Amino acid sequence: MSVLPDSMVGWIVIAALLFWFVGAYNRLVRLRAAVLQAYATLDAALRKQLDFVQASITAALPEKDASSHSSAVAPLQAATTQLATLLGATRLHPLDPGGMAALATALQVLITAWQRQHPDAVTVFEADGTLSRPAPLLPAGAGAASGTLEPMAWPEPSAAAEIARSQFNLAVGQYNAAIVQFPALLVAWMVRLRPAAPLL
């Protein structure tokens, strides 16, 4: 019975460790790429919502009477600007937990500002966070007497944005779980992969 020399055993161990390292690294990189791809989809959906909100603001401000209505929509305009700014910053670093927390806050501020402008709107979400029943739009001019925008559901395409957020959060969860599992956490530590944050 032949026995491998110690040097040969050492090389086999090193080769096995190298193959394992490359495999673990590739898996973590794929999961990280999935998070970035999911964020790109979420970013596009949120930008569509911003466009919808901005269009509703513009429609509510007729040129001849813009000054009288501007104070009514100022909080919504400010919230839209804030979210657009934070979306731009988060787009550069979508895995930064601080940036994602700021984006979540800005999104909530925008939703709150929208709901104040549309107090009669009914927005129903399913358990998975998708919009199931948008409120019907009121006839044109129905909200003019109160000085608010016409009540409507939280901006379409809200269902697409909620689905994108759910997919992003799922990708973040899978990535975060992978980088703390032993022994893959050693690879994550060596290549400095950091946890990401979901958009809550």
Side-chain angles (χ1 to χ4, degrees), residues 78-187:
T80 303
T81 301
Q82 180 187 32
L83 183 60
T85 301
L86 285 169
L87 268 177
T90 307
R91 198 172 297 130
L92 300 176
H93 304 285
L95 299 180
D96 176 48
M100 195 55 62
L103 181 63
T105 300
L107 182 58
Q108 188 56 54
V109 168
L110 179 63
I111 291 171
T112 301
W114 179 269
Q115 289 171 342
R116 285 181 181 159
Q117 286 298 129
H118 303 279
D120 298 327
V122 177
T123 306
V124 179
F125 290 93
E126 299 289 359
D128 64 357
T130 59
L131 184 66
S132 65
R133 184 169 56 84
L137 301 181
L138 293 187
S146 62
T148 64
L149 300 180
E150 294 169 11
M152 59 183 79
W154 165 235
E156 291 299 339
S158 53
E162 289 303 320
I163 290 170
R165 181 170 71 164
S166 176
Q167 292 173 341
F168 171 73
N169 290 346
L170 178 63
V172 166
Q174 292 171 340
Y175 167 74
N176 286 345
I179 66 173
V180 297
Q181 289 175 345
F182 184 83
L185 66 86
L186 299 176
V187 178

Side-chain angles (χ1 to χ4, degrees), residues 11 26 38-39 65 79 89 97 103 132 140 149 171:
W11 281 111
N26 286 341
Y39 179 77
D65 202 19
L103 181 63
S132 65
L149 300 180

Side-chain angles (χ1 to χ4, degrees), residues 53-73:
V53 173
Q54 193 58 52
S56 73
I57 292 171
T58 302
L61 297 175
E63 289 184 15
K64 63 178 183 178
D65 202 19
S67 59
S68 64
H69 290 285
S70 61
S71 61
V73 296

